[in-house]
Amino acid sequence: MTESTPVPPPGCPAHGSGERIPMYTPDFAADPHSYYAYMRHYGPTAPVELAPGVEATLVTDYGAALDLLQNSGDFRKDARRWRDLNEGRVSPDSPVLPLLAYRPNCMFSDGAEHLRLRRAVTESFGRVSSHRLSESVDRVARYLISQFSNRGSADLLNDYAKQLPLFVFNELFGCPAEIGDRVMFGISGIFDGVNAEQANQVLFQAVSELVTLKRTRPGEDVTSWLMQHPAQLDDQEMAHQLVLLLGAGAEPLRNLIANTLHLLLTNDRYAQNGLVEEALDDTLWRNPPMSNYAPHYAARDMEFAGQKLSAGDLLLVSFQAANATSAGSNRAHLAWSAGPHACPSKEPARLITLAAIEYLFNELPDVELAVPEESLTWRPGPFNRALGHLPARFTPVDPRRGMPPQTPQIQQRPAATATQARERGGLWSSFLSWWKA
């Protein structure tokens, strides 16, 4: 290796220019910035491995990322173009397949079909007013905090950030108790890797039942509005758009809330000066919740950013690495992606995150990190930037008047199977019972 070539970071097995850099190890999760610095010696793109045997090209340069995201002629979203999958080089049980395989939704479609589905999604979700969204976040935040406020300690990831987006989206989508319990089981299982195959089946069955319900009993909710949209989505299309919206509203928001809380709790400048919004923007810049994603497929054999590509090659954008190469302000980050497939709900996502954090600090003003910062761990995975836990402590606070008696901690009630969730009642059922009390 020449003197000008960086040495791979500790734990990285890539010791030659022909080696692919693994993005699924604990070492990568612990210090991704060192890996990105090493990747840059390849140029604007780097050869990576997303999971054992799953190869991709990662775009790490800001300008190249924009070129890819805005070029819908040379780069397509339809995963049925993925050559390695089509030729059997990707195992059907690969852990990354659920987030890369084709689904008939607006994320994995191109052209006129993409425009039709995206318009239905954006216009339906756009009918949720900021006032209603704020009310929903406050209601859910109040409930979740009531579950741990008198303990004086909590895991702000699993007790709060992980649960809040799921509760809010269940409410906005009009989920009744039993369907909502299975939605939460399904989403959590897919992203946490616990019974992922079963969780995926449970989730799709639950949203399919929700579609059937709303066909006969529509309400003032996103599911009903999506169903009534002029795009005239059929039941299959409805189910797939709902799975996409629930997934996109769960994992990224969970990480965004937790990562912003992490910055606020480890950097006094933000918390002491009330700079929650600035902390949010800095988090989106340095630790975006989905740090590497936006899968695209080369439409033809070509050269891109100095790299030769074959038709059907998989490319991903590293939002986290690309942001670091931009000379712009932290508002110029790529965390929401860009181009025709940019996140359609960035303003609601900002509102949910800011409202959730501000409510928490209002209720628990002396909350602080309960462990040394260096002891925190980040969940391995090629796509997300996600903490494993966020332990905090604070002065115990009695639940407000009208709150129900304290129930068991959320993490003490895992939904091990869909059958158990039905038999004992799940998290969503508990929330609805509290809300209606």
Side-chain angles (χ1 to χ4, degrees), residues 14-93:
H15 292 291
S17 59
E19 296 284 347
R20 289 191 173 268
I21 303 164
M23 296 176 60
Y24 51 88
T25 65
D27 291 308
F28 177 82
D31 188 12
H33 294 284
S34 292
Y35 276 73
Y36 299 139
Y38 172 69
M39 289 179 191
R40 291 192 184 97
H41 90 268
Y42 289 94
T45 68
V48 297
E49 190 176 45
L50 305 178
V54 182
E55 300 180 350
T57 295
L58 186 70
V59 181
T60 59
D61 175 78
Y62 189 92
L66 280 178
D67 287 345
L68 181 145
L69 293 169
Q70 295 172 343
N71 186 348
S72 56
D74 289 335
F75 300 101
R76 305 294 174 82
K77 293 289 291 180
D78 189 332
R80 289 173 295 187
R81 293 174 173 267
W82 188 5
R83 192 182 66 258
D84 284 355
L85 181 63
N86 293 338
E87 296 179 357
R89 286 190 289 275
V90 176
S91 171
D93 61 355

Side-chain angles (χ1 to χ4, degrees), residues 132-149:
R132 177 176 174 182
L133 193 57
S134 295
E135 281 192 332
S136 178
V137 174
D138 286 356
R139 181 162 46 245
V140 171
R142 184 158 53 101
Y143 170 75
L144 292 174
I145 292 171
S146 77
Q147 308 303 296
F148 57 74
S149 61

Side-chain angles (χ1 to χ4, degrees), residues 390-437:
L390 189 59
R393 60 190 172 212
F394 46 86
T395 301
V397 177
D398 287 336
R400 289 183 174 184
R401 184 178 303 175
M403 288 288 174
Q406 185 172 344
T407 57
Q409 299 177 36
I410 285 174
Q411 68 268 31
Q412 292 176 346
R413 303 179 63 199
T417 68
T419 301
Q420 290 172 345
R422 291 191 190 97
E423 288 175 350
R424 69 190 179 200
L427 300 174
W428 182 240
S429 296
S430 298
F431 170 74
L432 290 178
S433 296
W434 166 82
W435 186 8
K436 295 173 183 177

Side-chain angles (χ1 to χ4, degrees), residues 221-267:
D221 53 66
V222 175
T223 305
S224 300
W225 296 332
L226 186 62
M227 190 174 292
Q228 296 158 7
H229 192 272
Q232 297 183 323
L233 275 60
D234 61 30
D235 286 2
Q236 187 82 349
E237 290 174 328
M238 280 290 305
H240 279 288
Q241 308 322 301
L242 291 175
V243 168
L244 171 63
L245 287 169
L246 288 162
E251 178 73 5
L253 268 177
R254 151 191 179 169
N255 296 338
L256 183 56
I257 294 170
N259 292 0
T260 306
L261 282 171
H262 168 264
L263 184 57
L264 287 162
L265 295 175
T266 56
N267 190 316

